[in-house]
Amino acid sequence: MKILITGGAGFIGSNFIRYLLASRKDIQLVNFDKFTYAGNAENLADLSKDPRYALVRGDICDAPALKSLFAAGFDVLVHFAAETHVDRSIENVSPFLQTNILGTQCLLESARRAPKLRFIHISTDEVYGSAPAGGTFTEVSALDPQSPYAASKAAAEHFVRAYGNTYGLDFVILRCTNNYGPYQFPEKFIPLILANAGDNKSIPVYGDGMQERDWLFVEDFCSAISLAMDKARPGSLYNVSAGSPQPNLHIVRAILQILGKPDFLIQHVQDRPGHDRRYAIDSSKIRTELGWGPSFTFEEGLRKTIAWYQENREWLDHARSGEYSSYYDRHYTYRSETFRT
Ligand code: NAD
Ligand code: DAU
């Protein structure tokens, strides 16, 4: 099986590549990534000698680069590449339109010309907007995105479906909740808590900290994507979640307790504009139809994550200092224009 991954130098993509290489023998993987600030070549350092894996630097908005790439003939494309941080989307919307909408459409143009390609589109629970207290969204709930990031992800999904309907593209959409685990960039909440608490620095909690997120250990999302590659029907859509939303303050306190750090590190700061209060989705469809379920409880996943960040202090230091951004140039010499099939 020949698999193209976009955005594989980021958090979930790099975990997914590692998951596939460990769980499947007969695969060829190409990771196509622009290496924005979120792309970290150190995430992939241990993979570079695996003959089943190749890295190509490139932008999903670059149609000629994609044309050359697709000449290799892929069976499956897993599309992770995106601008992903909600706070950044509030600061500057343009890169989110560029990559998440126009980039996805550019990728779809190549994908629709690729014979027998399955397009797995990685989406988010944020497309539904904020869930009412006690309620959950199913796959047929209306989309009501509230942040520029969420709006761009909702638009991207519409294009994926339109390409399926209009050109017969075989696609699967997965809407997942907040992931956490190894290799997550420390601008996101859980690694930020770990980084700051480790240095006895204050932890910024937006507003009252009672916003709820449904955290899923990244390996459990990887298993859902892998199942979808093999078993999902063309044109299907699945929610993926652990099913236990928790307030942000509970997460911070749980981490501080495990680390043996005091609660006074918590510092309430100004809330995120338009902050979604609660994300909660019903994932019974993927559990029933594909037999998926999470393997890790939140406590297990959190302990594994904390252990990973403690054992990989250098990775975290490089991510925070910016040193990680020169790793690509120091270790790789090839670029998308030198990629040949
Ligand atoms: P990330 O920010 O860690 O990584 C994004 C990757 O995409 C980076 O390697 C970056 O270099 C690459 N990229 C960005 N723009 C690109 C472009 N124009 N061309 C090629 N590569 C580009 O992201 P993540 O947290 O791993 O999320 C991956 C996907 O999963 C995203 O589509 C995101 O919307 C979705 N998602 C994330 C979560 C989560 O909790 N992290 C939850 C649900 C869905
Ligand atoms: O729900 C899935 C989404 O989860 C993904 O689609 C996004 O790509 C991903 O970034 C994530 O979005 P969130 O906004 O939920 O994640 P973030 O880690 O930024 O924030 C999690 C919660 O913690 C949120 O309620 C905001 C809050 N927060 C975050 C930061 C960075 C704080 O209170 N303080 C902080 O400093």
Side-chain angles (χ1 to χ4, degrees), residues 1-5 28-32 54 56 65-78 107 110-111 113-119 339 341:
M1 188 188 273
K2 288 170 93 171
I3 304 165
L4 174 61
I5 307 283
Q28 288 295 323
L29 262 170
V30 176
N31 174 14
F32 185 75
V56 179
L66 291 180
K67 195 173 173 201
S68 151
L69 183 71
F70 273 75
F74 296 101
D75 303 298
V76 180
L77 190 172
V78 186
L107 196 60
S110 286
R113 293 183 169 81
K116 295 193 188 143
L117 178 83
R118 163 155 279 204
F119 191 107
F339 178 72
T341 52

PDB file of all heavy atoms in Angstrom, residues 1-5 28-32 54 56 65-78 107 110-111 113-119 339 341:
ATOM      1  N   MET A   1       0.845  -1.198   0.000  1.00  0.00           N
ATOM      2  CA  MET A   1       0.000   0.000   0.000  1.00  0.00           C
ATOM      3  C   MET A   1       0.883   1.251   0.000  1.00  0.00           C
ATOM      4  O   MET A   1       1.799   1.367   0.811  1.00  0.00           O
ATOM      5  CB  MET A   1      -0.896  -0.012   1.247  1.00  0.00           C
ATOM      6  CG  MET A   1      -1.944   1.075   1.264  1.00  0.00           C
ATOM      7  SD  MET A   1      -2.810   1.162   2.840  1.00  0.00           S
ATOM      8  CE  MET A   1      -4.110  -0.009   2.613  1.00  0.00           C
ATOM      9  N   LYS A   2       0.602   2.164  -0.928  1.00  0.00           N
ATOM     10  CA  LYS A   2       1.363   3.422  -0.970  1.00  0.00           C
ATOM     11  C   LYS A   2       0.524   4.531  -0.346  1.00  0.00           C
ATOM     12  O   LYS A   2      -0.600   4.793  -0.795  1.00  0.00           O
ATOM     13  CB  LYS A   2       1.738   3.771  -2.411  1.00  0.00           C
ATOM     14  CG  LYS A   2       2.837   2.853  -2.958  1.00  0.00           C
ATOM     15  CD  LYS A   2       3.036   3.041  -4.430  1.00  0.00           C
ATOM     16  CE  LYS A   2       4.120   4.046  -4.714  1.00  0.00           C
ATOM     17  NZ  LYS A   2       4.464   4.080  -6.146  1.00  0.00           N
ATOM     18  N   ILE A   3       1.087   5.151   0.672  1.00  0.00           N
ATOM     19  CA  ILE A   3       0.308   6.107   1.477  1.00  0.00           C
ATOM     20  C   ILE A   3       0.982   7.478   1.448  1.00  0.00           C
ATOM     21  O   ILE A   3       2.190   7.593   1.708  1.00  0.00           O
ATOM     22  CB  ILE A   3       0.207   5.611   2.937  1.00  0.00           C
ATOM     23  CG1 ILE A   3      -0.384   4.201   2.977  1.00  0.00           C
ATOM     24  CG2 ILE A   3      -0.632   6.575   3.781  1.00  0.00           C
ATOM     25  CD1 ILE A   3      -0.204   3.494   4.299  1.00  0.00           C
ATOM     26  N   LEU A   4       0.197   8.490   1.132  1.00  0.00           N
ATOM     27  CA  LEU A   4       0.687   9.868   1.188  1.00  0.00           C
ATOM     28  C   LEU A   4       0.113  10.538   2.431  1.00  0.00           C
ATOM     29  O   LEU A   4      -1.106  10.508   2.661  1.00  0.00           O
ATOM     30  CB  LEU A   4       0.238  10.624  -0.073  1.00  0.00           C
ATOM     31  CG  LEU A   4       0.536  12.120  -0.121  1.00  0.00           C
ATOM     32  CD1 LEU A   4       2.043  12.391  -0.048  1.00  0.00           C
ATOM     33  CD2 LEU A   4      -0.039  12.736  -1.409  1.00  0.00           C
ATOM     34  N   ILE A   5       1.005  11.119   3.232  1.00  0.00           N
ATOM     35  CA  ILE A   5       0.582  11.836   4.435  1.00  0.00           C
ATOM     36  C   ILE A   5       0.897  13.310   4.204  1.00  0.00           C
ATOM     37  O   ILE A   5       2.036  13.644   3.872  1.00  0.00           O
ATOM     38  CB  ILE A   5       1.417  11.380   5.660  1.00  0.00           C
ATOM     39  CG1 ILE A   5       1.408   9.859   5.834  1.00  0.00           C
ATOM     40  CG2 ILE A   5       0.984  12.106   6.937  1.00  0.00           C
ATOM     41  CD1 ILE A   5       0.189   9.272   6.414  1.00  0.00           C
ATOM     42  N   GLN A  28       4.503   1.748   1.802  1.00  0.00           N
ATOM     43  CA  GLN A  28       5.453   2.793   1.410  1.00  0.00           C
ATOM     44  C   GLN A  28       4.799   4.111   1.786  1.00  0.00           C
ATOM     45  O   GLN A  28       3.659   4.379   1.393  1.00  0.00           O
ATOM     46  CB  GLN A  28       5.713   2.766  -0.099  1.00  0.00           C
ATOM     47  CG  GLN A  28       6.543   1.578  -0.578  1.00  0.00           C
ATOM     48  CD  GLN A  28       7.958   1.605  -0.022  1.00  0.00           C
ATOM     49  OE1 GLN A  28       8.562   2.664   0.110  1.00  0.00           O
ATOM     50  NE2 GLN A  28       8.473   0.431   0.332  1.00  0.00           N
ATOM     51  N   LEU A  29       5.509   4.934   2.546  1.00  0.00           N
ATOM     52  CA  LEU A  29       4.923   6.166   3.083  1.00  0.00           C
ATOM     53  C   LEU A  29       5.667   7.386   2.576  1.00  0.00           C
ATOM     54  O   LEU A  29       6.902   7.439   2.658  1.00  0.00           O
ATOM     55  CB  LEU A  29       5.125   6.159   4.596  1.00  0.00           C
ATOM     56  CG  LEU A  29       3.992   5.710   5.490  1.00  0.00           C
ATOM     57  CD1 LEU A  29       4.495   5.562   6.895  1.00  0.00           C
ATOM     58  CD2 LEU A  29       2.904   6.759   5.443  1.00  0.00           C
ATOM     59  N   VAL A  30       4.950   8.367   2.086  1.00  0.00           N
ATOM     60  CA  VAL A  30       5.579   9.647   1.766  1.00  0.00           C
ATOM     61  C   VAL A  30       4.933  10.722   2.635  1.00  0.00           C
ATOM     62  O   VAL A  30       3.704  10.849   2.674  1.00  0.00           O
ATOM     63  CB  VAL A  30       5.427  10.010   0.273  1.00  0.00           C
ATOM     64  CG1 VAL A  30       6.016  11.402   0.012  1.00  0.00           C
ATOM     65  CG2 VAL A  30       6.126   8.987  -0.608  1.00  0.00           C
ATOM     66  N   ASN A  31       5.763  11.468   3.318  1.00  0.00           N
ATOM     67  CA  ASN A  31       5.297  12.564   4.179  1.00  0.00           C
ATOM     68  C   ASN A  31       5.567  13.889   3.479  1.00  0.00           C
ATOM     69  O   ASN A  31       6.725  14.239   3.227  1.00  0.00           O
ATOM     70  CB  ASN A  31       6.059  12.485   5.510  1.00  0.00           C
ATOM     71  CG  ASN A  31       5.770  13.661   6.430  1.00  0.00           C
ATOM     72  OD1 ASN A  31       4.822  14.415   6.217  1.00  0.00           O
ATOM     73  ND2 ASN A  31       6.601  13.807   7.447  1.00  0.00           N
ATOM     74  N   PHE A  32       4.504  14.593   3.130  1.00  0.00           N
ATOM     75  CA  PHE A  32       4.633  15.871   2.404  1.00  0.00           C
ATOM     76  C   PHE A  32       4.283  16.994   3.373  1.00  0.00           C
ATOM     77  O   PHE A  32       3.140  17.109   3.827  1.00  0.00           O
ATOM     78  CB  PHE A  32       3.657  15.850   1.221  1.00  0.00           C
ATOM     79  CG  PHE A  32       3.754  17.038   0.300  1.00  0.00           C
ATOM     80  CD1 PHE A  32       4.810  17.166  -0.595  1.00  0.00           C
ATOM     81  CD2 PHE A  32       2.777  18.022   0.308  1.00  0.00           C
ATOM     82  CE1 PHE A  32       4.894  18.248  -1.466  1.00  0.00           C
ATOM     83  CE2 PHE A  32       2.852  19.112  -0.561  1.00  0.00           C
ATOM     84  CZ  PHE A  32       3.912  19.222  -1.441  1.00  0.00           C
ATOM     85  N   ALA A  54       9.601   8.147   3.290  1.00  0.00           N
ATOM     86  CA  ALA A  54      10.302   9.249   2.601  1.00  0.00           C
ATOM     87  C   ALA A  54       9.681  10.584   2.988  1.00  0.00           C
ATOM     88  O   ALA A  54       8.466  10.673   3.203  1.00  0.00           O
ATOM     89  CB  ALA A  54      10.208   9.070   1.091  1.00  0.00           C
ATOM     90  N   VAL A  56       9.216  14.630   1.951  1.00  0.00           N
ATOM     91  CA  VAL A  56       9.290  15.625   0.881  1.00  0.00           C
ATOM     92  C   VAL A  56       8.811  16.953   1.443  1.00  0.00           C
ATOM     93  O   VAL A  56       7.704  17.033   1.999  1.00  0.00           O
ATOM     94  CB  VAL A  56       8.386  15.231  -0.309  1.00  0.00           C
ATOM     95  CG1 VAL A  56       8.454  16.296  -1.403  1.00  0.00           C
ATOM     96  CG2 VAL A  56       8.778  13.886  -0.866  1.00  0.00           C
ATOM     97  N   ALA A  65       4.051  21.135  -7.612  1.00  0.00           N
ATOM     98  CA  ALA A  65       4.730  20.188  -6.704  1.00  0.00           C
ATOM     99  C   ALA A  65       3.830  18.975  -6.450  1.00  0.00           C
ATOM    100  O   ALA A  65       4.293  17.830  -6.422  1.00  0.00           O
ATOM    101  CB  ALA A  65       5.068  20.878  -5.382  1.00  0.00           C
ATOM    102  N   LEU A  66       2.532  19.235  -6.304  1.00  0.00           N
ATOM    103  CA  LEU A  66       1.607  18.122  -6.059  1.00  0.00           C
ATOM    104  C   LEU A  66       1.513  17.215  -7.288  1.00  0.00           C
ATOM    105  O   LEU A  66       1.432  15.996  -7.163  1.00  0.00           O
ATOM    106  CB  LEU A  66       0.208  18.650  -5.708  1.00  0.00           C
ATOM    107  CG  LEU A  66       0.085  19.355  -4.356  1.00  0.00           C
ATOM    108  CD1 LEU A  66      -1.363  19.821  -4.143  1.00  0.00           C
ATOM    109  CD2 LEU A  66       0.502  18.447  -3.205  1.00  0.00           C
ATOM    110  N   LYS A  67       1.557  17.826  -8.474  1.00  0.00           N
ATOM    111  CA  LYS A  67       1.468  17.022  -9.700  1.00  0.00           C
ATOM    112  C   LYS A  67       2.630  16.032  -9.762  1.00  0.00           C
ATOM    113  O   LYS A  67       2.455  14.846 -10.041  1.00  0.00           O
ATOM    114  CB  LYS A  67       1.488  17.952 -10.922  1.00  0.00           C
ATOM    115  CG  LYS A  67       1.058  17.266 -12.180  1.00  0.00           C
ATOM    116  CD  LYS A  67       0.915  18.229 -13.330  1.00  0.00           C
ATOM    117  CE  LYS A  67       0.640  17.431 -14.601  1.00  0.00           C
ATOM    118  NZ  LYS A  67       0.964  18.153 -15.800  1.00  0.00           N
ATOM    119  N   SER A  68       3.819  16.543  -9.472  1.00  0.00           N
ATOM    120  CA  SER A  68       4.999  15.679  -9.482  1.00  0.00           C
ATOM    121  C   SER A  68       4.889  14.593  -8.406  1.00  0.00           C
ATOM    122  O   SER A  68       5.189  13.420  -8.631  1.00  0.00           O
ATOM    123  CB  SER A  68       6.236  16.564  -9.278  1.00  0.00           C
ATOM    124  OG  SER A  68       7.260  15.873  -8.652  1.00  0.00           O
ATOM    125  N   LEU A  69       4.405  14.986  -7.250  1.00  0.00           N
ATOM    126  CA  LEU A  69       4.258  14.044  -6.131  1.00  0.00           C
ATOM    127  C   LEU A  69       3.269  12.933  -6.465  1.00  0.00           C
ATOM    128  O   LEU A  69       3.533  11.746  -6.240  1.00  0.00           O
ATOM    129  CB  LEU A  69       3.756  14.846  -4.926  1.00  0.00           C
ATOM    130  CG  LEU A  69       3.575  14.130  -3.611  1.00  0.00           C
ATOM    131  CD1 LEU A  69       4.925  13.769  -3.013  1.00  0.00           C
ATOM    132  CD2 LEU A  69       2.812  15.025  -2.624  1.00  0.00           C
ATOM    133  N   PHE A  70       2.119  13.311  -7.028  1.00  0.00           N
ATOM    134  CA  PHE A  70       1.062  12.325  -7.283  1.00  0.00           C
ATOM    135  C   PHE A  70       1.424  11.347  -8.393  1.00  0.00           C
ATOM    136  O   PHE A  70       0.773  10.303  -8.526  1.00  0.00           O
ATOM    137  CB  PHE A  70      -0.264  13.038  -7.611  1.00  0.00           C
ATOM    138  CG  PHE A  70      -1.067  13.369  -6.381  1.00  0.00           C
ATOM    139  CD1 PHE A  70      -0.703  14.417  -5.556  1.00  0.00           C
ATOM    140  CD2 PHE A  70      -2.185  12.625  -6.040  1.00  0.00           C
ATOM    141  CE1 PHE A  70      -1.434  14.727  -4.410  1.00  0.00           C
ATOM    142  CE2 PHE A  70      -2.927  12.919  -4.901  1.00  0.00           C
ATOM    143  CZ  PHE A  70      -2.551  13.976  -4.086  1.00  0.00           C
ATOM    144  N   ALA A  71       2.448  11.681  -9.182  1.00  0.00           N
ATOM    145  CA  ALA A  71       2.874  10.749 -10.225  1.00  0.00           C
ATOM    146  C   ALA A  71       3.338   9.423  -9.624  1.00  0.00           C
ATOM    147  O   ALA A  71       3.385   8.395 -10.312  1.00  0.00           O
ATOM    148  CB  ALA A  71       3.989  11.375 -11.055  1.00  0.00           C
ATOM    149  N   ALA A  72       3.664   9.420  -8.334  1.00  0.00           N
ATOM    150  CA  ALA A  72       4.094   8.183  -7.673  1.00  0.00           C
ATOM    151  C   ALA A  72       2.954   7.173  -7.577  1.00  0.00           C
ATOM    152  O   ALA A  72       3.180   5.975  -7.442  1.00  0.00           O
ATOM    153  CB  ALA A  72       4.638   8.492  -6.280  1.00  0.00           C
ATOM    154  N   GLY A  73       1.689   7.655  -7.621  1.00  0.00           N
ATOM    155  CA  GLY A  73       0.541   6.750  -7.563  1.00  0.00           C
ATOM    156  C   GLY A  73       0.283   6.225  -6.165  1.00  0.00           C
ATOM    157  O   GLY A  73       0.876   5.231  -5.752  1.00  0.00           O
ATOM    158  N   PHE A  74      -0.589   6.891  -5.445  1.00  0.00           N
ATOM    159  CA  PHE A  74      -0.868   6.484  -4.055  1.00  0.00           C
ATOM    160  C   PHE A  74      -2.224   5.776  -3.959  1.00  0.00           C
ATOM    161  O   PHE A  74      -3.141   6.049  -4.749  1.00  0.00           O
ATOM    162  CB  PHE A  74      -0.870   7.717  -3.135  1.00  0.00           C
ATOM    163  CG  PHE A  74       0.472   8.386  -3.058  1.00  0.00           C
ATOM    164  CD1 PHE A  74       0.742   9.543  -3.796  1.00  0.00           C
ATOM    165  CD2 PHE A  74       1.484   7.854  -2.277  1.00  0.00           C
ATOM    166  CE1 PHE A  74       1.988  10.152  -3.749  1.00  0.00           C
ATOM    167  CE2 PHE A  74       2.735   8.455  -2.214  1.00  0.00           C
ATOM    168  CZ  PHE A  74       2.982   9.610  -2.956  1.00  0.00           C
ATOM    169  N   ASP A  75      -2.329   4.899  -2.977  1.00  0.00           N
ATOM    170  CA  ASP A  75      -3.601   4.227  -2.701  1.00  0.00           C
ATOM    171  C   ASP A  75      -4.437   5.027  -1.706  1.00  0.00           C
ATOM    172  O   ASP A  75      -5.660   5.048  -1.791  1.00  0.00           O
ATOM    173  CB  ASP A  75      -3.348   2.825  -2.124  1.00  0.00           C
ATOM    174  CG  ASP A  75      -2.509   1.984  -3.054  1.00  0.00           C
ATOM    175  OD1 ASP A  75      -2.975   1.723  -4.175  1.00  0.00           O
ATOM    176  OD2 ASP A  75      -1.363   1.633  -2.688  1.00  0.00           O
ATOM    177  N   VAL A  76      -3.742   5.635  -0.738  1.00  0.00           N
ATOM    178  CA  VAL A  76      -4.432   6.366   0.327  1.00  0.00           C
ATOM    179  C   VAL A  76      -3.711   7.677   0.589  1.00  0.00           C
ATOM    180  O   VAL A  76      -2.474   7.730   0.566  1.00  0.00           O
ATOM    181  CB  VAL A  76      -4.448   5.558   1.658  1.00  0.00           C
ATOM    182  CG1 VAL A  76      -5.176   6.324   2.758  1.00  0.00           C
ATOM    183  CG2 VAL A  76      -5.081   4.205   1.470  1.00  0.00           C
ATOM    184  N   LEU A  77      -4.483   8.721   0.835  1.00  0.00           N
ATOM    185  CA  LEU A  77      -3.915  10.006   1.259  1.00  0.00           C
ATOM    186  C   LEU A  77      -4.537  10.342   2.615  1.00  0.00           C
ATOM    187  O   LEU A  77      -5.771  10.320   2.744  1.00  0.00           O
ATOM    188  CB  LEU A  77      -4.288  11.075   0.234  1.00  0.00           C
ATOM    189  CG  LEU A  77      -3.652  12.464   0.297  1.00  0.00           C
ATOM    190  CD1 LEU A  77      -4.051  13.243  -0.953  1.00  0.00           C
ATOM    191  CD2 LEU A  77      -4.034  13.267   1.508  1.00  0.00           C
ATOM    192  N   VAL A  78      -3.722  10.637   3.603  1.00  0.00           N
ATOM    193  CA  VAL A  78      -4.269  11.080   4.898  1.00  0.00           C
ATOM    194  C   VAL A  78      -3.867  12.544   5.062  1.00  0.00           C
ATOM    195  O   VAL A  78      -2.676  12.868   5.161  1.00  0.00           O
ATOM    196  CB  VAL A  78      -3.760  10.217   6.073  1.00  0.00           C
ATOM    197  CG1 VAL A  78      -4.480  10.625   7.356  1.00  0.00           C
ATOM    198  CG2 VAL A  78      -3.984   8.738   5.792  1.00  0.00           C
ATOM    199  N   LEU A 107      -5.157  20.288  -3.111  1.00  0.00           N
ATOM    200  CA  LEU A 107      -4.871  18.859  -2.922  1.00  0.00           C
ATOM    201  C   LEU A 107      -5.977  18.005  -3.556  1.00  0.00           C
ATOM    202  O   LEU A 107      -5.713  16.985  -4.195  1.00  0.00           O
ATOM    203  CB  LEU A 107      -4.796  18.604  -1.413  1.00  0.00           C
ATOM    204  CG  LEU A 107      -4.172  17.327  -0.905  1.00  0.00           C
ATOM    205  CD1 LEU A 107      -2.722  17.206  -1.344  1.00  0.00           C
ATOM    206  CD2 LEU A 107      -4.241  17.308   0.636  1.00  0.00           C
ATOM    207  N   SER A 110      -5.594  17.443  -7.297  1.00  0.00           N
ATOM    208  CA  SER A 110      -4.705  16.327  -7.665  1.00  0.00           C
ATOM    209  C   SER A 110      -5.354  14.998  -7.324  1.00  0.00           C
ATOM    210  O   SER A 110      -5.268  14.034  -8.085  1.00  0.00           O
ATOM    211  CB  SER A 110      -3.369  16.432  -6.916  1.00  0.00           C
ATOM    212  OG  SER A 110      -2.578  17.452  -7.466  1.00  0.00           O
ATOM    213  N   ALA A 111      -6.008  14.954  -6.165  1.00  0.00           N
ATOM    214  CA  ALA A 111      -6.587  13.687  -5.697  1.00  0.00           C
ATOM    215  C   ALA A 111      -7.663  13.175  -6.652  1.00  0.00           C
ATOM    216  O   ALA A 111      -7.771  11.974  -6.910  1.00  0.00           O
ATOM    217  CB  ALA A 111      -7.158  13.875  -4.299  1.00  0.00           C
ATOM    218  N   ARG A 113      -7.846  13.345  -9.719  1.00  0.00           N
ATOM    219  CA  ARG A 113      -7.278  12.787 -10.952  1.00  0.00           C
ATOM    220  C   ARG A 113      -6.502  11.501 -10.682  1.00  0.00           C
ATOM    221  O   ARG A 113      -5.986  10.879 -11.607  1.00  0.00           O
ATOM    222  CB  ARG A 113      -6.345  13.806 -11.606  1.00  0.00           C
ATOM    223  CG  ARG A 113      -7.094  15.006 -12.125  1.00  0.00           C
ATOM    224  CD  ARG A 113      -6.187  15.996 -12.844  1.00  0.00           C
ATOM    225  NE  ARG A 113      -6.987  16.989 -13.537  1.00  0.00           N
ATOM    226  CZ  ARG A 113      -7.527  18.067 -12.954  1.00  0.00           C
ATOM    227  NH1 ARG A 113      -7.309  18.290 -11.679  1.00  0.00           N
ATOM    228  NH2 ARG A 113      -8.258  18.911 -13.646  1.00  0.00           N
ATOM    229  N   ALA A 114      -6.376  11.135  -9.417  1.00  0.00           N
ATOM    230  CA  ALA A 114      -5.584   9.950  -9.064  1.00  0.00           C
ATOM    231  C   ALA A 114      -6.498   8.726  -9.038  1.00  0.00           C
ATOM    232  O   ALA A 114      -7.456   8.691  -8.266  1.00  0.00           O
ATOM    233  CB  ALA A 114      -4.935  10.152  -7.697  1.00  0.00           C
ATOM    234  N   PRO A 115      -6.228   7.740  -9.873  1.00  0.00           N
ATOM    235  CA  PRO A 115      -7.126   6.594  -9.918  1.00  0.00           C
ATOM    236  C   PRO A 115      -7.133   5.820  -8.606  1.00  0.00           C
ATOM    237  O   PRO A 115      -6.078   5.584  -8.021  1.00  0.00           O
ATOM    238  CB  PRO A 115      -6.559   5.739 -11.059  1.00  0.00           C
ATOM    239  CG  PRO A 115      -5.259   6.326 -11.434  1.00  0.00           C
ATOM    240  CD  PRO A 115      -5.088   7.645 -10.787  1.00  0.00           C
ATOM    241  N   LYS A 116      -8.305   5.464  -8.128  1.00  0.00           N
ATOM    242  CA  LYS A 116      -8.493   4.583  -6.954  1.00  0.00           C
ATOM    243  C   LYS A 116      -7.908   5.113  -5.664  1.00  0.00           C
ATOM    244  O   LYS A 116      -7.581   4.363  -4.758  1.00  0.00           O
ATOM    245  CB  LYS A 116      -7.903   3.197  -7.240  1.00  0.00           C
ATOM    246  CG  LYS A 116      -8.621   2.467  -8.360  1.00  0.00           C
ATOM    247  CD  LYS A 116      -8.193   1.008  -8.372  1.00  0.00           C
ATOM    248  CE  LYS A 116      -8.766   0.320  -9.612  1.00  0.00           C
ATOM    249  NZ  LYS A 116      -7.895  -0.638 -10.201  1.00  0.00           N
ATOM    250  N   LEU A 117      -7.727   6.426  -5.582  1.00  0.00           N
ATOM    251  CA  LEU A 117      -7.177   6.986  -4.335  1.00  0.00           C
ATOM    252  C   LEU A 117      -8.278   7.154  -3.290  1.00  0.00           C
ATOM    253  O   LEU A 117      -9.360   7.642  -3.604  1.00  0.00           O
ATOM    254  CB  LEU A 117      -6.546   8.359  -4.614  1.00  0.00           C
ATOM    255  CG  LEU A 117      -5.984   9.061  -3.378  1.00  0.00           C
ATOM    256  CD1 LEU A 117      -4.580   8.555  -3.066  1.00  0.00           C
ATOM    257  CD2 LEU A 117      -5.950  10.579  -3.571  1.00  0.00           C
ATOM    258  N   ARG A 118      -7.970   6.782  -2.048  1.00  0.00           N
ATOM    259  CA  ARG A 118      -8.886   7.067  -0.929  1.00  0.00           C
ATOM    260  C   ARG A 118      -8.363   8.287  -0.181  1.00  0.00           C
ATOM    261  O   ARG A 118      -7.194   8.315   0.237  1.00  0.00           O
ATOM    262  CB  ARG A 118      -8.971   5.837  -0.021  1.00  0.00           C
ATOM    263  CG  ARG A 118      -9.523   6.135   1.336  1.00  0.00           C
ATOM    264  CD  ARG A 118     -10.146   4.926   1.979  1.00  0.00           C
ATOM    265  NE  ARG A 118     -11.498   4.726   1.456  1.00  0.00           N
ATOM    266  CZ  ARG A 118     -12.464   4.071   2.107  1.00  0.00           C
ATOM    267  NH1 ARG A 118     -12.213   3.534   3.285  1.00  0.00           N
ATOM    268  NH2 ARG A 118     -13.661   3.938   1.595  1.00  0.00           N
ATOM    269  N   PHE A 119      -9.203   9.283   0.014  1.00  0.00           N
ATOM    270  CA  PHE A 119      -8.810  10.550   0.637  1.00  0.00           C
ATOM    271  C   PHE A 119      -9.374  10.575   2.059  1.00  0.00           C
ATOM    272  O   PHE A 119     -10.591  10.678   2.254  1.00  0.00           O
ATOM    273  CB  PHE A 119      -9.397  11.698  -0.196  1.00  0.00           C
ATOM    274  CG  PHE A 119      -8.899  13.081   0.141  1.00  0.00           C
ATOM    275  CD1 PHE A 119      -8.025  13.754  -0.704  1.00  0.00           C
ATOM    276  CD2 PHE A 119      -9.341  13.740   1.284  1.00  0.00           C
ATOM    277  CE1 PHE A 119      -7.591  15.058  -0.422  1.00  0.00           C
ATOM    278  CE2 PHE A 119      -8.907  15.034   1.575  1.00  0.00           C
ATOM    279  CZ  PHE A 119      -8.032  15.693   0.728  1.00  0.00           C
ATOM    280  N   PHE A 339      12.101  15.648  -5.864  1.00  0.00           N
ATOM    281  CA  PHE A 339      11.413  14.379  -5.672  1.00  0.00           C
ATOM    282  C   PHE A 339      11.039  13.785  -7.022  1.00  0.00           C
ATOM    283  O   PHE A 339      10.442  14.427  -7.856  1.00  0.00           O
ATOM    284  CB  PHE A 339      10.156  14.586  -4.839  1.00  0.00           C
ATOM    285  CG  PHE A 339       9.370  13.330  -4.639  1.00  0.00           C
ATOM    286  CD1 PHE A 339       9.831  12.327  -3.804  1.00  0.00           C
ATOM    287  CD2 PHE A 339       8.176  13.138  -5.307  1.00  0.00           C
ATOM    288  CE1 PHE A 339       9.109  11.164  -3.628  1.00  0.00           C
ATOM    289  CE2 PHE A 339       7.445  11.978  -5.135  1.00  0.00           C
ATOM    290  CZ  PHE A 339       7.903  10.998  -4.287  1.00  0.00           C
ATOM    291  N   THR A 341       9.568  10.105  -9.039  1.00  0.00           N
ATOM    292  CA  THR A 341       8.807   8.890  -8.710  1.00  0.00           C
ATOM    293  C   THR A 341       9.596   7.635  -9.043  1.00  0.00           C
ATOM    294  O   THR A 341      10.177   7.468 -10.011  1.00  0.00           O
ATOM    295  CB  THR A 341       7.493   8.891  -9.489  1.00  0.00           C
ATOM    296  OG1 THR A 341       7.776   9.112 -10.861  1.00  0.00           O
ATOM    297  CG2 THR A 341       6.601   9.965  -8.961  1.00  0.00           C
TER     298      THR A 341
END
